[in-house]
Amino acid sequence: MEIKNVTVIGAGVLGSQIAWQSAFHGFNVTIYDIDSKALDAAMEKHKGYAAWFKARRGATGEEVQNTFGRLTYTIDLAEAVKDADIISESVPEVLEIKKDFYKKLSAVAPEKAIFTTNSSTMVPSQYAAETGRPEKFLALHFANPVWEANIAEIMGQPKTDKHIFDRVVEFARAMGMVPIPLYKEQSGYVINTLLSPLLAAAGNLFFNGVADFKTIDKTWMISTVAKFGPFGIMDLVGMQTMYHVMLLKAKQTGDLNAQKRAEAIKVNFLDKGKLGISTGEGFYKYPNPEYQSPEFLK
Ligand code: NAD
């Protein structure tokens, strides 16, 4: 069965992007949130994405208008999912919220609907039972911003049906993503499994006074021919996320180092409004960060 109708759950940072990207690629998209203000904010964001797609992607007025024509916004869950072929869930990253949501969803969703979660730090088996259809449940994980960092990591749990997995891989490609299939559950998927140790190692080198952050970035950029070093990546990810990741690590492992890093991020960045690229300053100043200058690599 072909996927035509997509329901996006949660109209926050990622949900609003997933909805736009799917609608732009021709899917009928309904976006649901428990909070009508979040839907209003998503509509505003969609106007911004429309302008960006026209300016940066060469999207035509007609393409953008058609995208809006395929988007519906609602606070009624049953209405939102009544004809869904696939559901992409982006509710907050809290296990109890996810579990509670899937219980409610399983009561109203049609049998044909595939459920996908966008969770970044959990694995789908943690709430597969609550979906009532574990064979049609898996992770479809996006990065931010969806259309620029356009990978979609697809990760089943032990009960996911192989055919459903393959359909989600196809769907990801059809909505403009590069599918990254994972053969087993892995916390952090591929990208964060690679990235987390790199960023942690860079933080240790810097905060222990071994080398300054520009030297560390320069080393990485020259030797791996990369566009960014670890501190440039932290600015992209955002200091707020870095702070939450460090706090979570400290809580889960009792790692005192992580606790110290979280505090340093709070004092040196969050309290000063330096949240990274989004506010124009993190480790570097934007829009023209020093690491983009040819002099930086000399
Ligand atoms: P967010 O806080 O921006 O948005 C969450 C939205 O969910 C809010 O609008 C909230 O009103 C809504 N919500 C809360 N409870 C709900 C419910 N029961 N039903 C429907 N809507 C509900 O969060 P986000 O950053 O978009 O993250 C959402 C998910 O996406 C998380 O699982 C996160 O791990 C994942 N994710 C986030 C990013 C990122 O960069 N922000 C990247 C990849 C994946």
Side-chain angles (χ1 to χ4, degrees):
M1 194 202 58
E2 203 191 334
I3 291 178
K4 286 192 190 131
N5 302 325
V6 179
T7 300
V8 174
I9 309 287
V13 175
L14 257 278
S16 55
Q17 294 184 16
I18 296 165
W20 176 265
Q21 175 80 354
S22 316
F24 186 80
H25 284 85
F27 294 94
N28 303 319
V29 179
T30 304
I31 179 161
Y32 161 80
D33 201 289
I34 40 167
D35 181 358
S36 64
K37 286 201 199 94
L39 289 177
D40 293 342
M43 281 181 216
E44 280 309 305
K45 281 186 211 156
H46 288 165
K47 288 181 197 158
Y49 302 159
W52 192 92
F53 268 59
K54 278 184 180 169
R56 305 283 290 274
R57 282 283 164 95
T60 64
E62 196 188 352
E63 279 173 322
V64 161
Q65 211 178 344
N66 289 341
T67 303
F68 279 114
R70 288 190 285 265
L71 278 163
T72 308
Y73 307 78
T74 179
I75 50 164
D76 181 335
L77 179 61
E79 181 62 28
V81 300
K82 73 175 194 296
D83 205 19
D85 298 314
I86 191 163
I87 292 170
S88 171
E89 167 270 308
S90 285
V91 304
E93 191 70 347
V94 177
L95 184 58
E96 283 317 311
I97 297 182
K98 302 261 190 213
K99 282 187 170 178
D100 182 57
F101 167 71
Y102 280 103
K103 278 187 212 153
K104 290 187 176 125
L105 177 67
S106 68
V108 291
E111 209 206 308
K112 65 171 180 171
I114 299 171
F115 294 177
T116 67
T117 180
N118 186 30
S119 171
S120 295
T121 60
M122 294 181 249
V123 289
S125 56
Q126 284 178 268
Y127 38 100
E130 282 74 11
T131 67
R133 60 184 76 186
E135 71 293 348
K136 286 191 185 132
F137 174 58
L138 65 165
L140 171 60
H141 179 242
F142 297 89
N144 182 11
V146 165
W147 36 85
E148 284 187 279
N150 71 324
I151 55 164
E153 295 179 284
I154 297 129
M155 181 172 83
Q157 34 82 32
K159 295 195 172 148
T160 309
D161 182 318
K162 171 83 175 81
H163 298 291
I164 298 288
F165 184 95
D166 292 344
R167 280 178 61 199
V168 174
V169 170
E170 271 169 43
F171 167 69
R173 198 178 287 288
M175 65 171 284
M177 311 304 294
V178 177
I180 309 292
L182 276 75
Y183 302 136
K184 35 167 104 165
E185 280 195 332
Q186 164 73 30
S187 172
Y189 304 84
V190 173
I191 185 61
N192 286 332
T193 302
L194 293 171
L195 208 48
S196 300
L198 172 72
L199 300 189
N204 286 339
L205 288 170
F206 175 59
F207 286 108
N208 291 335
V210 176
D212 69 70
F213 73 87
K214 290 180 194 170
T215 302
I216 299 166
D217 272 2
K218 197 178 0 185
T219 311
W220 183 260
M221 288 166 75
I222 294 174
S223 40
T224 66
V225 200
K227 277 204 268 185
F228 298 93
F231 294 95
I233 296 175
M234 288 184 212
D235 281 353
L236 181 71
V237 170
M239 287 303 158
Q240 213 130 24
T241 303
M242 291 304 304
Y243 174 70
H244 288 303
V245 169
M246 287 297 160
L247 267 194
L248 191 71
K249 191 172 173 199
K251 228 186 194 174
Q252 284 173 343
T253 62
D255 181 347
L256 288 180
N257 237 353
Q259 183 69 36
K260 274 200 223 151
R261 299 285 176 271
E263 277 157 27
I265 291 172
K266 183 169 182 311
V267 173
N268 294 307
F269 294 95
L270 303 191
D271 292 352
K272 293 181 179 166
K274 296 181 185 178
L275 303 188
I277 294 181
S278 63
T279 58
E281 188 170 355
F283 280 96
Y284 298 92
K285 287 198 174 124
Y286 298 85
N288 298 309
E290 215 180 318
Y291 59 78
Q292 282 177 354
S293 142
E295 289 305 304
F296 187 78
L297 298 181
K298 288 186 178 156

